[in-house]
């Protein structure tokens, strides 16, 4: 698969359709695998933290969840095909999982949110087998691992936000039954309707970040990583020339 290094993070240069096909391939393989969806905030964190960067680069599939990463790829002259948002990848996967009778476990978000998200997912993909739900405010990893292993899923959505979810997947990969894990941040909140996605027009204009900032001003600090990330890409592109 075509891979592109953007400021130290190796992204798979894939369309949404290719991402879905790759996840299905991983699921069908029956082995332990994990998928990460870094946006520019996470990719910037990777520049500062090499241990975290290794976890991201150790994933079986790494897709760019953000217009900022795609823009950085253009600045560096290694243009990624498209943004592949985690929540959109999850949505596209649901009918495929239902068709193949795969079991899905939802892990993360506040108590009650995963159950609501499951209802919406089953509406979107009739016949989908959601084999378990667990909120993301647990005391110990062991209680989560026990719940997941009892349900024996084929696919596990890990929605704890970043970097918590990536660390969790890497630390617990060997403890849970072989399955494909996807670290997809606030996606359960979106499925459950707890958090609204930006209107389509804003998504198309690459202004989703602005919508999130207005809705959650507390994100301002972490959002400053977006311009810093783009400046780093500009600096790097000057070095290359
Ligand atoms: N979350 C969680 N456990 C924690 C911290 C966060 O389950 O200890 C959940 C939180 O409820 C939310 C998601 O993780 O559903 C993080 O959402 P956010 O939009 O911050 O994630 P992002 O995709 O931006 O990383």
């Amino acid at each position: 698969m075509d891979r592109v290094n953007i400021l130290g993070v190796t992204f798979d240069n894939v369309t949404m359709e290719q991402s879905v096909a790759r996840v299905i391939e991983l699921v069908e393989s029956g082995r332990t695998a994990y998928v990460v969806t870094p946006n520019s905030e996470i990719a910037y964190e990777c520049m500062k933290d090499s241990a975290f960067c290794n976890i991201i680069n150790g994933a079986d599939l790494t897709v760019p969840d953000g217009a900022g990463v795609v823009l950085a790829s253009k600045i560096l002259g290694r243009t990624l095909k498209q943004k592949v948002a985690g929540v959109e990848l999850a949505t596209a996967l649901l009918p495929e999982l239902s068709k193949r009778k795969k079991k899905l476990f939802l892990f993360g978000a506040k108590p009650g949110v995963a159950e609501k998200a499951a209802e919406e997912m089953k509406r979107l993909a009739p016949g989908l087998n959601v084999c378990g739900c667990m909120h993301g405010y647990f005391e110990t990893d062991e209680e989560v691992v026990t719940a997941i292993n009892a349900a024996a899923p084929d696919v596990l959505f890990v929605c704890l936000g970043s970097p918590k979810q990536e660390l969790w997947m890497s630390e617990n990969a060997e403890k849970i039954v072989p399955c494909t894990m996807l670290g997809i941040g606030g996606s359960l909140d979106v499925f459950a309707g707890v958090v609204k996605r930006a209107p389509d027009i804003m998504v198309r204009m690459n202004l989703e970040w602005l919508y999130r900032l207005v809705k959650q001003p507390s994100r301002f600090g972490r959002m400053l990583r977006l311009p810093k990330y783009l400046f780093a890409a500009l600096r790097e592109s000057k070095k290359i020339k």
Side-chain angles (χ1 to χ4, degrees):
M1 207 166 17
D2 182 16
R3 304 199 92 194
V4 179
N5 185 317
I6 310 289
L7 299 171
V9 174
T10 318
F11 286 93
D12 289 289
N13 193 10
V14 282
T15 61
M16 176 61 79
E17 208 176 310
Q18 290 168 328
S19 306
V20 172
R22 173 75 181 139
V23 176
I24 293 300
E25 204 179 287
L26 292 169
V27 175
E28 294 291 3
S29 79
R31 66 180 175 89
T32 301
Y34 68 97
V35 176
V36 293
T37 60
N39 58 14
S40 48
E41 291 168 16
I42 300 171
Y44 185 73
E45 213 41 50
C46 286
M47 293 174 63
K48 309 269 149 203
D49 182 341
S50 61
F52 180 56
C53 189
N54 286 341
I55 292 175
I56 294 287
N57 284 341
D60 296 271
L61 176 69
T62 305
V63 294
D65 182 350
V69 175
V70 177
L71 185 52
S73 78
K74 283 188 186 150
I75 292 172
L76 290 164
R78 306 165 200 151
T79 307
L80 287 165
K81 285 179 186 156
Q82 70 170 107
K83 171 177 121 180
V84 179
V87 67
E88 285 169 20
L89 174 58
T91 306
L93 268 176
L94 298 176
E96 300 299 324
L97 298 180
S98 168
K99 202 159 66 187
R100 290 173 174 78
K101 305 207 177 322
K102 298 295 179 190
K103 295 200 278 175
L104 171 66
F105 192 105
L106 307 178
F107 167 39
K110 297 208 172 110
V113 173
E115 287 79 0
K116 260 197 199 159
E119 288 313 310
E120 174 61 5
M121 288 176 182
K122 286 187 225 166
R123 193 187 66 76
L124 293 171
L128 180 72
N129 183 351
V130 178
C131 63
C133 294
M134 170 103 195
H135 66 78
Y137 295 83
F138 48 95
E139 298 274 310
T140 63
D141 282 350
E142 280 60 43
E143 59 184 296
V144 181
V145 168
T146 305
I148 292 170
N149 285 345
D154 302 293
V155 179
L156 172 63
F157 287 174
V158 185
C159 302
L160 305 173
S162 190
K164 202 167 184 184
Q165 62 199 16
E166 289 82 14
L167 297 174
W168 194 92
M169 291 193 291
S170 118
E171 279 162 21
N172 293 283
E174 299 304 315
K175 296 185 206 154
I176 57 171
V177 292
C179 65
T180 302
M181 299 180 271
L182 287 89
I184 48 174
S187 297
L188 295 181
D189 292 330
V190 175
F191 282 111
V194 177
V195 169
K196 297 259 174 302
R197 272 201 93 191
D200 277 355
I201 177 95
M202 289 188 88
V203 174
R204 279 202 302 275
M205 290 173 78
N206 291 331
L207 290 175
E208 198 165 4
W209 61 272
L210 179 62
Y211 180 86
R212 293 189 87 179
L213 184 59
V214 171
K215 289 281 173 186
Q216 292 170 271
S218 59
R219 298 180 78 95
F220 183 71
R222 52 183 278 194
M223 276 192 178
L224 285 177
R225 293 181 201 151
L226 170 62
K228 286 183 187 165
Y229 179 68
L230 293 178
F231 275 125
L234 276 172
R235 274 199 306 274
E236 177 76 16
S237 75
K238 296 241 162 65
K239 264 194 242 159
I240 296 168
K241 277 175 196 159

